[in-house]
Amino acid sequence: MRRKMIIMAITVIMTGTLQTTYGQDRKLIRKGNELYKDQKYKEAVTYYQQALTKNPTSVTGMFNLGNAYYKQKQTDAARQVMTAAARQSKDSLQRAAAQYNLGNTYMDEQKWEEAIESYKQTLRDNPRDEEARYNLSYARAMLKQQEQQGGGNDNKDQQDDKDKKDNQQQQQQDQQDDKKKDKQQDKQDQQQQDQKEEEQQQRSQPMPSKLSEQQAEQILNALQQEEKNLQDKQQKEKGVPVKIEKDW
């Protein structure tokens, strides 16, 4: 970005009865210009203000006062005086210079729309001002970039909010799924434990008899008779000696 601050030269020729007053005005502006060149902007303001006291319609005094304010970073005061100079001047080049410096104040604060309008007005009054043309292009490019970044940031913020919301919902769903799984696992474990305990209990208890008392007694008698028969058979197989009496 190119930047210049234009200092107005005194071009008005005073004649007649106004020469004395305007002469004082010019001397004060010249003194202010000398201080301005020495970067003594605060002291220069004093002389420019005195010059305007002598001649309130002095476009040169307004213009250079605005520049001195600008150098002290008193932007609002600079714009006010520059705007007055642009309105007061009937010379297109003076108006163009005032509008150009106004554009610079807006550029400093990245107020691209206001800067664009100021540089446009500069070129209307002075189409040959290449510095203004360059700064106009620069301000337009910066405004476009700002708009794109602004939209991009909004979209990014919206996407970030959506992602954050989706993540929260997913976490909640995961937690619910985990709880369901835990409940199902607990239920399954409990069922397995109950089944295991039931099997152990069945093994430790005698099977209940399905026979009546009479049937049980008959079976017991049959078993006893079978046992007796078995013992008799075993005795015969061993051979039992037979006692024979002698015949005398």
Side-chain angles (χ1 to χ4, degrees):
M1 177 180 60
R2 299 172 186 172
R3 189 167 299 172
K4 62 181 179 181
M5 298 302 294
I6 303 170
I7 299 294
M8 296 290 294
I10 299 175
T11 58
V12 181
I13 301 176
M14 292 69 169
T15 57
T17 56
L18 298 177
Q19 187 172 1
T20 302
T21 302
Y22 284 172
Q24 294 176 356
D25 160 39
R26 292 170 62 187
K27 288 179 181 180
L28 291 169
I29 290 176
R30 284 176 180 149
K31 181 60 178 178
N33 290 348
E34 291 175 1
L35 294 168
Y36 185 98
K37 290 178 182 179
D38 292 337
Q39 300 183 0
K40 297 179 180 180
Y41 304 119
K42 186 175 181 179
E43 291 84 347
V45 165
T46 301
Y47 281 91
Y48 293 141
Q49 288 174 337
Q50 291 178 6
L52 289 171
T53 300
K54 300 294 182 181
N55 181 12
T57 62
S58 172
V59 175
T60 303
M62 295 179 191
F63 189 95
N64 290 357
L65 176 60
N67 283 347
Y69 280 138
Y70 176 82
K71 288 295 186 180
Q72 296 178 85
K73 300 186 183 303
Q74 299 180 30
T75 307
D76 291 339
R79 286 176 186 157
Q80 184 176 357
V81 178
M82 286 291 181
T83 301
R87 291 175 179 174
Q88 182 69 27
S89 178
K90 296 180 180 180
D91 183 86
S92 61
L93 294 180
Q94 288 181 344
R95 289 196 303 271
Q99 288 292 341
Y100 179 90
N101 286 356
L102 272 173
N104 287 349
T105 66
Y106 290 123
M107 291 276 268
D108 287 345
E109 296 180 352
Q110 298 183 1
K111 295 181 178 180
W112 309 119
E113 292 182 357
E114 293 86 345
I116 288 170
E117 188 58 37
S118 295
Y119 293 132
K120 281 183 178 179
Q121 188 59 49
T122 300
L123 292 171
R124 292 189 188 104
D125 289 324
N126 183 14
R128 297 181 179 180
D129 192 330
E130 295 302 323
E131 299 284 344
R133 196 178 307 279
Y134 178 90
N135 285 359
L136 175 60
S137 298
Y138 180 87
R140 282 173 170 169
M142 295 303 295
L143 177 61
K144 183 177 180 180
Q145 180 179 346
Q146 185 182 63
E147 290 173 346
Q148 290 175 345
Q149 289 179 346
N153 289 335
D154 291 341
N155 293 335
K156 184 177 183 301
D157 291 340
Q158 292 176 359
Q159 185 63 39
D160 289 343
D161 291 340
K162 184 178 182 300
D163 292 341
K164 184 177 180 180
K165 186 176 180 180
D166 291 342
N167 289 335
Q168 290 177 346
Q169 291 177 347
Q170 185 62 44
Q171 289 177 356
Q172 292 176 354
Q173 185 63 41
D174 292 342
Q175 290 176 354
Q176 292 177 356
D177 292 342
D178 291 340
K179 288 181 180 179
K180 289 181 180 179
K181 290 179 180 179
D182 291 341
K183 288 182 179 180
Q184 291 175 352
Q185 186 64 41
D186 291 343
K187 184 177 181 180
Q188 186 177 359
D189 292 343
Q190 185 63 42
Q191 289 176 346
Q192 292 177 351
Q193 181 65 26
D194 292 343
Q195 184 178 1
K196 184 177 180 181
E197 290 178 355
E198 184 178 355
E199 291 175 353
Q200 290 177 348
Q201 185 177 9
Q202 289 176 353
R203 286 195 296 268
S204 63
Q205 291 180 355
M207 293 294 293
S209 176
K210 296 181 180 181
L211 300 175
S212 64
E213 183 178 353
Q214 183 179 1
Q215 289 173 333
E217 184 177 357
Q218 290 175 353
I219 291 172
L220 179 61
N221 292 333
L223 290 173
Q224 289 176 349
Q225 184 61 42
E226 184 178 355
E227 180 66 21
K228 183 176 181 303
N229 293 337
L230 180 61
Q231 290 178 357
D232 292 343
K233 184 178 179 181
Q234 289 176 349
Q235 288 292 333
K236 288 180 180 180
E237 289 177 354
K238 290 181 180 180
V240 178
V242 179
K243 182 177 180 182
I244 300 176
E245 294 182 358
K246 293 182 178 181
D247 187 10
W248 298 99

